[in-house]
Amino acid sequence: MFWNQIKTAILLAAMSGLLLLIGSSFGGSDGLFIALLIALGINFLVYFYSDKIVLKMYKAQPLDQNKYEHIYEMVEEMCHRANMPMPKLWYLPTEMANAFATGRNPQHASVAVTQGILDVLDENELRGVLAHELSHVKNRDILVATVAASLAMAIGYLADMIRWTAFFGGHGR
């Protein structure tokens, strides 16, 4: 668990350093300042809002506790055994069979299931899938994966920044 926190810090620092280096190279001190603002913004958004962004992107809805009481009971039991807080549970209205965990730590975690996975798995199989997702939460794997994805996003923003700088002739300034 501690190693995942170190990896997260290294990834965030690497992303910030890369943004600053490229911003400085292509825009001088102005580029460095813009890259610093982008790095701070991305780090803040990734750490505090990545789970909300992912859930919104998939049109997730809170899992209806009345309709899916057995899932709530399953997750609550597993969380109790693992000595971890209960994550928020979400429903994705898609036929693709999938489940995933997101969030920055066990206290701010969410686990989502799709209609597809609810249709194809029996209760024991679903228990195994949910246990797998909860293990990602407990080991903080979800934050490392999110930061890695945001690093890819930052590289995309850098490519756009370089393209527009070249388009407007900013490299020579």
Side-chain angles (χ1 to χ4, degrees), residues 42-150:
I42 288 174
N43 286 342
F44 180 82
L45 286 173
V46 164
Y47 189 78
F48 289 104
Y49 295 102
S50 59
D51 57 334
K52 292 167 185 63
I53 293 168
V54 169
L55 292 168
K56 192 167 190 84
M57 187 173 69
Y58 283 106
K59 298 179 176 76
Q61 307 156 5
L63 189 67
D64 184 350
Q65 190 166 359
N66 294 323
K67 186 175 180 182
Y68 297 105
E69 185 176 349
H70 66 287
I71 295 176
Y72 275 87
E73 289 172 358
M74 225 187 287
V75 172
E76 194 170 24
E77 176 205 339
M78 288 186 281
C79 287
H80 179 73
R81 285 183 179 189
N83 195 28
M84 60 185 282
M86 174 86 172
K88 293 178 185 149
L89 299 179
W90 297 87
Y91 170 81
L92 282 64
T94 179
E95 294 305 311
M96 179 175 50
N98 194 17
F100 65 86
T102 185
R104 67 182 179 268
N105 58 36
Q107 291 75 26
H108 298 94
S110 293
V111 174
V113 294
T114 65
Q115 182 62 51
I117 206 164
L118 296 174
D119 290 342
V120 300
L121 298 184
D122 65 31
E123 192 166 326
N124 285 332
E125 293 168 328
L126 185 59
R127 180 181 295 275
V129 168
L130 292 172
H132 172 86
E133 297 308 326
L134 290 174
S135 74
H136 286 306
V137 171
K138 185 164 178 106
N139 294 317
R140 299 176 189 255
D141 298 340
I142 51 180
L143 181 59
V144 174
T146 302
V147 170
S150 67

